[in-house]
Amino acid sequence: MKTILLTGAGGGVGTFMRAELKGRYKLRLSDRSPLAECGPDEEFVQADLTDMDATRKAVAGVDGIIHLGGYSVEADWDTIHTANFIGTYNLYEAARLEGAKRVIFASSNHAVGFHERTNTIDHTTAPRPDSRYGLSKAFGESLSSLYADKYGVESMCIRIGNVGTEPIDVRRMSIWLSPRDLAQLVCIGLDHPDIKYEIVYGMSDNARSWWDNSNATRLGYKPQDKSEDFAEQILATKTSDTGNLIGDLKQGGDFVTFEAVDDPFKPGLK
Ligand code: 15L
Protein backbone atom coordinates (compact mmCIF):
# COMPACT_ATOMS: atom_id res chain seq x y z
CA MET A 1 0.00 0.00 0.00
CA LYS A 2 1.21 3.50 -0.80
CA THR A 3 1.68 5.93 2.08
CA ILE A 4 -0.15 9.17 1.40
CA LEU A 5 -0.01 12.40 3.37
CA LEU A 6 -3.40 14.06 3.82
CA THR A 7 -3.00 17.71 4.86
CA GLY A 8 -5.95 19.47 6.44
CA ALA A 9 -7.10 16.07 7.66
CA GLY A 10 -9.23 17.56 10.43
CA GLY A 11 -11.39 19.66 8.07
CA GLY A 12 -14.73 18.72 6.51
CA VAL A 13 -13.33 17.46 3.20
CA GLY A 14 -10.41 15.79 5.00
CA THR A 15 -12.86 13.87 7.17
CA PHE A 16 -14.77 12.68 4.08
CA MET A 17 -11.49 11.58 2.47
CA ARG A 18 -10.36 9.60 5.50
CA ALA A 19 -13.56 7.60 5.33
CA GLU A 20 -13.47 7.14 1.55
CA LEU A 21 -9.79 6.19 1.26
CA LYS A 22 -9.73 3.77 4.19
CA GLY A 23 -8.10 0.48 3.18
CA ARG A 24 -6.79 1.90 -0.09
CA TYR A 25 -3.69 3.73 1.21
CA LYS A 26 -1.79 4.09 4.46
CA LEU A 27 -2.78 7.60 5.47
CA ARG A 28 -0.49 9.98 7.26
CA LEU A 29 -2.85 12.63 8.58
CA SER A 30 -1.63 16.12 9.30
CA ASP A 31 -3.28 19.19 10.72
CA ARG A 32 -2.35 22.14 12.93
CA SER A 33 -4.37 20.77 15.85
CA PRO A 34 -4.36 17.19 17.12
CA LEU A 35 -7.02 14.82 15.81
CA ALA A 36 -9.21 12.85 18.19
CA GLU A 37 -7.96 9.43 17.15
CA CYS A 38 -6.40 7.46 14.32
CA GLY A 39 -7.87 4.34 12.75
CA PRO A 40 -6.01 1.30 11.39
CA ASP A 41 -3.53 2.25 8.65
CA GLU A 42 -3.57 5.86 9.86
CA GLU A 43 -0.93 7.88 11.70
CA PHE A 44 -0.99 11.50 12.78
CA VAL A 45 1.76 14.08 12.37
CA GLN A 46 0.98 17.51 13.77
CA ALA A 47 2.24 20.20 11.39
CA ASP A 48 1.67 23.85 10.76
CA LEU A 49 2.47 24.19 7.06
CA THR A 50 3.89 27.67 7.59
CA ASP A 51 6.71 25.91 9.48
CA MET A 52 9.08 24.44 6.87
CA ASP A 53 10.79 21.97 9.23
CA ALA A 54 7.47 20.60 10.45
CA THR A 55 6.23 20.38 6.85
CA ARG A 56 9.33 18.43 5.78
CA LYS A 57 8.84 15.99 8.66
CA ALA A 58 5.21 15.45 7.63
CA VAL A 59 6.22 14.83 4.01
CA ALA A 60 9.30 12.64 4.63
CA GLY A 61 8.89 9.12 3.26
CA VAL A 62 5.44 9.46 1.67
CA ASP A 63 4.64 8.34 -1.87
CA GLY A 64 2.10 11.06 -2.52
CA ILE A 65 0.25 13.98 -0.96
CA ILE A 66 -3.36 15.12 -0.93
CA HIS A 67 -3.08 18.80 -0.10
CA LEU A 68 -6.32 20.04 1.45
CA GLY A 69 -4.68 22.14 4.18
CA GLY A 70 -5.19 25.89 4.20
CA TYR A 71 -7.98 28.42 4.53
CA SER A 72 -11.05 27.32 2.59
CA VAL A 73 -13.08 30.51 2.10
CA GLU A 74 -12.46 34.23 1.52
CA ALA A 75 -10.56 36.08 4.26
CA ASP A 76 -8.22 39.03 4.80
CA TRP A 77 -4.88 39.08 2.99
CA ASP A 78 -2.81 38.08 6.00
CA THR A 79 -4.89 34.95 6.59
CA ILE A 80 -4.90 33.89 2.93
CA HIS A 81 -1.24 34.76 2.40
CA THR A 82 -0.09 32.79 5.42
CA ALA A 83 -2.31 29.72 5.13
CA ASN A 84 -2.61 29.34 1.37
CA PHE A 85 0.35 31.03 -0.29
CA ILE A 86 3.08 30.23 2.26
CA GLY A 87 1.52 26.91 3.31
CA THR A 88 1.21 25.66 -0.28
CA TYR A 89 4.68 26.89 -1.21
CA ASN A 90 6.20 25.06 1.77
CA LEU A 91 4.27 21.91 0.89
CA TYR A 92 5.63 21.82 -2.68
CA GLU A 93 9.12 22.72 -1.55
CA ALA A 94 8.99 19.92 1.04
CA ALA A 95 7.75 17.51 -1.66
CA ARG A 96 10.75 18.43 -3.81
CA LEU A 97 13.27 18.16 -0.97
CA GLU A 98 11.85 14.91 0.43
CA GLY A 99 11.27 13.25 -2.95
CA ALA A 100 7.47 12.94 -2.83
CA LYS A 101 6.52 12.18 -6.40
CA ARG A 102 2.85 13.16 -6.74
CA VAL A 103 0.65 15.87 -5.26
CA ILE A 104 -3.12 16.28 -5.49
CA PHE A 105 -3.73 19.98 -5.12
CA ALA A 106 -7.18 20.98 -3.91
CA SER A 107 -7.76 23.93 -6.19
CA SER A 108 -11.18 25.53 -6.31
CA ASN A 109 -13.91 26.75 -8.63
CA HIS A 110 -13.08 30.18 -7.22
CA ALA A 111 -9.85 30.20 -9.26
CA VAL A 112 -12.16 30.69 -12.27
CA GLY A 113 -15.17 32.18 -10.48
CA PHE A 114 -15.44 35.36 -12.54
CA HIS A 115 -16.54 33.42 -15.61
CA GLU A 116 -20.21 33.66 -16.41
CA ARG A 117 -22.39 30.66 -15.84
CA THR A 118 -23.34 30.69 -19.53
CA ASN A 119 -19.67 30.08 -20.49
CA THR A 120 -18.67 26.43 -20.63
CA ILE A 121 -15.04 26.35 -19.55
CA ASP A 122 -12.54 23.49 -19.51
CA HIS A 123 -9.11 22.57 -18.14
CA THR A 124 -7.38 24.90 -20.60
CA THR A 125 -9.27 27.93 -19.30
CA ALA A 126 -6.93 30.38 -17.60
CA PRO A 127 -7.69 31.42 -14.02
CA ARG A 128 -10.09 34.29 -13.43
CA PRO A 129 -10.12 34.45 -9.63
CA ASP A 130 -13.10 35.91 -7.83
CA SER A 131 -11.43 36.57 -4.44
CA ARG A 132 -8.12 36.52 -2.57
CA TYR A 133 -9.00 32.91 -1.81
CA GLY A 134 -9.49 32.17 -5.54
CA LEU A 135 -6.20 33.95 -6.26
CA SER A 136 -4.41 31.65 -3.81
CA LYS A 137 -5.82 28.66 -5.69
CA ALA A 138 -4.65 30.09 -9.03
CA PHE A 139 -1.24 30.55 -7.39
CA GLY A 140 -1.28 26.90 -6.28
CA GLU A 141 -2.06 25.76 -9.83
CA SER A 142 0.87 27.80 -11.21
CA LEU A 143 3.14 26.56 -8.45
CA SER A 144 2.19 22.96 -9.33
CA SER A 145 3.02 23.66 -12.95
CA LEU A 146 6.45 25.08 -12.03
CA TYR A 147 7.28 22.15 -9.75
CA ALA A 148 6.24 19.66 -12.45
CA ASP A 149 8.26 21.31 -15.20
CA LYS A 150 11.35 22.21 -13.22
CA TYR A 151 11.60 19.58 -10.48
CA GLY A 152 9.50 16.64 -11.65
CA VAL A 153 7.01 16.85 -8.76
CA GLU A 154 3.84 15.66 -10.54
CA SER A 155 0.46 17.17 -9.78
CA MET A 156 -3.20 16.88 -10.43
CA CYS A 157 -5.03 20.10 -9.58
CA ILE A 158 -8.72 19.57 -8.89
CA ARG A 159 -10.84 22.70 -9.31
CA ILE A 160 -13.26 21.56 -6.66
CA GLY A 161 -16.87 22.71 -6.76
CA ASN A 162 -18.72 22.08 -3.52
CA VAL A 163 -18.17 18.85 -1.60
CA GLY A 164 -21.04 17.45 0.44
CA THR A 165 -23.45 14.59 0.75
CA GLU A 166 -25.93 16.55 -1.40
CA PRO A 167 -26.08 19.84 -3.33
CA ILE A 168 -27.38 22.66 -1.15
CA ASP A 169 -28.70 25.29 -3.59
CA VAL A 170 -29.16 26.15 -7.26
CA ARG A 171 -25.53 27.09 -7.89
CA ARG A 172 -24.28 23.96 -6.14
CA MET A 173 -26.48 21.86 -8.48
CA SER A 174 -23.95 22.81 -11.17
CA ILE A 175 -20.78 22.26 -9.13
CA TRP A 176 -21.69 19.61 -6.56
CA LEU A 177 -19.13 16.87 -5.83
CA SER A 178 -20.00 13.86 -3.72
CA PRO A 179 -17.30 12.53 -1.37
CA ARG A 180 -17.03 9.24 -3.26
CA ASP A 181 -16.62 11.03 -6.60
CA LEU A 182 -13.90 13.23 -5.09
CA ALA A 183 -12.20 10.09 -3.77
CA GLN A 184 -12.33 8.58 -7.26
CA LEU A 185 -10.63 11.68 -8.71
CA VAL A 186 -8.02 11.66 -5.94
CA CYS A 187 -7.21 7.97 -6.61
CA ILE A 188 -6.85 8.67 -10.33
CA GLY A 189 -4.53 11.54 -9.48
CA LEU A 190 -2.41 9.40 -7.17
CA ASP A 191 -2.32 6.18 -9.18
CA HIS A 192 -2.54 7.09 -12.87
CA PRO A 193 0.83 6.15 -14.40
CA ASP A 194 0.95 9.09 -16.77
CA ILE A 195 0.30 12.35 -14.99
CA LYS A 196 2.76 15.22 -15.03
CA TYR A 197 0.55 18.26 -14.56
CA GLU A 198 -3.20 18.12 -15.04
CA ILE A 199 -6.19 20.29 -14.24
CA VAL A 200 -9.58 18.67 -13.80
CA TYR A 201 -12.89 19.88 -12.40
CA GLY A 202 -14.10 18.42 -9.14
CA MET A 203 -17.76 17.75 -9.84
CA SER A 204 -20.13 14.81 -9.94
CA ASP A 205 -22.23 13.97 -13.00
CA ASN A 206 -24.15 17.29 -12.98
CA ALA A 207 -26.54 17.93 -15.87
CA ARG A 208 -26.53 21.69 -15.14
CA SER A 209 -22.74 21.98 -15.11
CA TRP A 210 -20.89 24.87 -16.74
CA TRP A 211 -17.67 22.85 -16.94
CA ASP A 212 -16.42 20.61 -19.70
CA ASN A 213 -14.67 17.92 -17.66
CA SER A 214 -13.33 15.95 -20.64
CA ASN A 215 -9.83 15.97 -19.20
CA ALA A 216 -11.05 14.05 -16.15
CA THR A 217 -12.96 11.66 -18.45
CA ARG A 218 -9.81 11.12 -20.50
CA LEU A 219 -7.98 10.11 -17.32
CA GLY A 220 -10.69 7.53 -16.53
CA TYR A 221 -13.08 9.44 -14.24
CA LYS A 222 -16.65 8.07 -14.19
CA PRO A 223 -18.67 9.96 -11.57
CA GLN A 224 -21.27 7.90 -9.77
CA ASP A 225 -23.49 10.64 -8.38
CA LYS A 226 -25.82 13.14 -10.06
CA SER A 227 -27.01 16.47 -8.71
CA GLU A 228 -30.18 16.16 -10.80
CA ASP A 229 -31.44 13.56 -8.30
CA PHE A 230 -31.89 16.50 -5.88
CA ALA A 231 -33.33 19.00 -8.39
CA GLU A 232 -36.96 18.79 -7.38
CA GLN A 233 -36.34 19.38 -3.69
CA ILE A 234 -33.91 22.28 -4.33
CA LEU A 235 -35.87 24.08 -7.02
CA ALA A 236 -39.04 23.88 -4.93
CA THR A 237 -37.54 26.25 -2.36
CA LYS A 238 -34.71 28.17 -4.02
CA THR A 239 -34.26 30.09 -7.26
CA SER A 240 -31.53 32.66 -6.48
CA ASP A 241 -28.43 31.75 -4.49
CA THR A 242 -26.92 35.08 -3.74
CA GLY A 243 -29.80 37.51 -3.82
CA ASN A 244 -27.98 39.73 -6.31
CA LEU A 245 -27.89 39.78 -10.08
CA ILE A 246 -24.13 39.61 -10.59
CA GLY A 247 -23.61 36.84 -8.05
CA ASP A 248 -26.27 34.76 -9.74
CA LEU A 249 -24.67 35.41 -13.15
CA LYS A 250 -21.11 34.43 -12.27
CA GLN A 251 -19.81 30.94 -11.54
CA GLY A 252 -18.28 31.97 -8.22
CA GLY A 253 -21.61 33.21 -6.80
CA ASP A 254 -21.25 35.52 -3.83
CA PHE A 255 -17.44 35.22 -3.72
CA VAL A 256 -17.61 37.51 -6.78
CA THR A 257 -19.64 40.21 -5.14
CA PHE A 258 -18.20 39.99 -1.63
CA GLU A 259 -16.60 43.39 -0.85
CA ALA A 260 -17.21 44.55 -4.43
CA VAL A 261 -20.79 45.58 -4.80
CA ASP A 262 -22.13 48.88 -3.78
CA ASP A 263 -23.64 49.11 -7.21
CA PRO A 264 -24.16 45.67 -8.80
CA PHE A 265 -23.94 47.24 -12.27
CA LYS A 266 -20.42 48.59 -11.70
CA PRO A 267 -18.53 48.20 -15.01
CA GLY A 268 -15.77 46.13 -13.38
CA LEU A 269 -18.21 43.41 -12.43
CA LYS A 270 -19.66 42.90 -15.89
C1 15L B 1 -14.82 26.51 -2.08
O1 15L B 1 -13.75 26.51 -2.68
C2 15L B 1 -14.86 26.49 -0.61
O2 15L B 1 -13.76 25.83 -0.03
C3 15L B 1 -16.15 25.92 -0.08
O3 15L B 1 -16.25 26.25 1.29
C4 15L B 1 -17.37 26.45 -0.84
O4 15L B 1 -17.50 27.82 -0.60
C5 15L B 1 -17.19 26.17 -2.31
O5 15L B 1 -15.97 26.68 -2.78
C6 15L B 1 -18.33 26.72 -3.18
O6 15L B 1 -18.07 27.45 -4.14
O7 15L B 1 -19.46 26.36 -2.90
Side-chain angles (χ1 to χ4, degrees):
M1 259 204 274
K2 286 180 182 165
T3 300
I4 302 297
L5 171 66
L6 178 66
T7 72
V13 178
T15 305
F16 281 133
M17 286 307 96
R18 280 177 71 184
E20 293 291 335
L21 300 176
K22 200 187 295 176
R24 172 122 194 182
Y25 307 108
K26 282 190 180 146
L27 288 181
R28 181 179 297 169
L29 312 171
S30 91
D31 213 296
R32 283 192 312 175
S33 320
L35 297 182
E37 59 190 49
C38 286
D41 290 328
E42 287 184 340
E43 60 173 327
F44 177 69
V45 176
Q46 191 163 352
D48 181 338
L49 301 182
T50 63
D51 174 342
M52 190 60 193
D53 289 340
T55 306
R56 281 190 72 166
K57 282 187 191 121
V59 168
V62 300
D63 300 296
I65 301 169
I66 306 165
H67 179 43
L68 304 177
Y71 207 78
S72 65
V73 288
E74 181 61 323
D76 60 86
W77 171 243
D78 195 39
T79 303
I80 295 291
H81 178 245
T82 307
N84 292 8
F85 283 81
I86 296 176
T88 301
Y89 178 79
N90 283 352
L91 192 276
Y92 270 88
E93 187 57 3
R96 176 180 82 81
L97 292 167
E98 299 296 336
K101 192 85 188 113
R102 190 71 67 88
V103 181
I104 308 304
F105 174 61
S107 184
S108 165
N109 71 91
H110 297 290
V112 286
F114 246 103
H115 285 281
E116 283 178 16
R117 298 183 188 194
T118 49
N119 271 4
T120 301
I121 60 175
D122 69 10
H123 59 288
T124 63
T125 303
R128 202 172 163 194
D130 59 21
S131 50
R132 289 178 288 274
Y133 166 70
L135 180 67
S136 74
K137 295 300 183 178
F139 164 78
E141 290 183 2
S142 291
L143 186 72
S144 310
S145 172
L146 171 69
Y147 272 67
D149 283 337
K150 192 167 270 191
Y151 307 117
V153 177
E154 300 163 339
S155 276
M156 184 160 95
C157 302
I158 309 179
R159 290 180 176 163
I160 296 177
N162 188 253
V163 182
T165 49
E166 54 186 76
I168 52 176
D169 58 22
V170 180
R171 177 174 159 272
R172 269 56 170 252
M173 295 267 302
S174 302
I175 66 168
W176 176 58
L177 176 60
S178 71
R180 67 173 169 173
D181 284 343
L182 174 57
Q184 188 193 144
L185 276 173
V186 163
C187 293
I188 290 170
L190 289 171
D191 297 333
H192 195 289
D194 193 24
I195 284 179
K196 182 181 169 196
Y197 171 73
E198 299 291 347
I199 290 180
V200 297
Y201 286 89
M203 65 164 174
S204 289
D205 180 8
N206 301 333
R208 295 160 200 254
S209 170
W210 42 69
W211 299 326
D212 168 353
N213 212 8
S214 49
N215 200 34
T217 309
R218 182 185 65 82
L219 292 166
Y221 178 51
K222 290 190 186 70
Q224 291 178 276
D225 295 303
K226 292 181 165 56
S227 64
E228 214 51 27
D229 292 345
F230 303 88
E232 214 175 287
Q233 103 198 25
I234 287 175
L235 297 174
T237 52
K238 292 178 178 153
T239 47
S240 163
D241 309 310
T242 62
N244 75 68
L245 206 63
I246 301 294
D248 279 356
L249 203 71
K250 301 284 187 178
Q251 296 188 4
D254 54 12
F255 278 61
V256 166
T257 50
F258 183 61
E259 292 176 357
V261 181
D262 305 309
D263 166 7
F265 295 101
K266 245 184 205 171
L269 286 171
K270 287 190 181 151

